[in-house]
Amino acid sequence: MKKKLMIGLLTVVTCFTLGSTSFAASDMTKTSNNTTTENVKVAPYASKDIYRGIFYSKQDHPDGNDIPNKIYYSEGFLSGWLTLVEVRSASFNSWIAYYEGTIN
């Protein structure tokens, strides 16, 4: 009789132990599934390096020294200032000015 009582008690304790463990696991799973920030993709800080040549007329800029040192550049949702790097004579009537910088 004592043997059957001990087996019965062990069975009940085992059921409660397993039951509480499985409830705890499902509760944790439910909590992590309800957390929406885990599924949200955050875009990294966007920036882009730009190197660009722009033609200027020698009629408007006779000696090349009056070409702007900085220009504002935008592409899509990115924008920023580019700095003059070099000026070359492209032809007898135009200059080509090279600008570079990072837009974000």
Side-chain angles (χ1 to χ4, degrees), residues 16-91:
F16 280 122
T17 304
L18 292 175
S20 66
T21 304
S22 65
F23 290 134
S26 65
D27 190 27
M28 288 177 67
T29 305
K30 185 176 181 182
T31 302
S32 66
N33 285 340
N34 287 338
T35 306
T36 57
T37 55
E38 290 179 12
N39 297 328
V40 174
K41 293 183 180 179
V42 178
Y45 183 74
S47 65
K48 187 175 183 180
D49 292 332
I50 302 292
Y51 185 79
R52 177 160 185 176
I54 296 180
F55 286 93
Y56 290 100
S57 166
K58 285 188 179 178
Q59 183 178 0
D60 297 332
H61 305 280
D63 62 359
N65 291 329
D66 55 349
I67 292 176
N69 288 330
K70 289 190 174 228
I71 61 166
Y72 188 76
Y73 181 80
S74 65
E75 184 176 304
F77 62 92
L78 302 175
S79 62
W81 290 92
L82 303 179
T83 305
L84 180 66
V85 179
E86 180 181 9
V87 177
R88 293 184 186 172
S89 180
S91 66

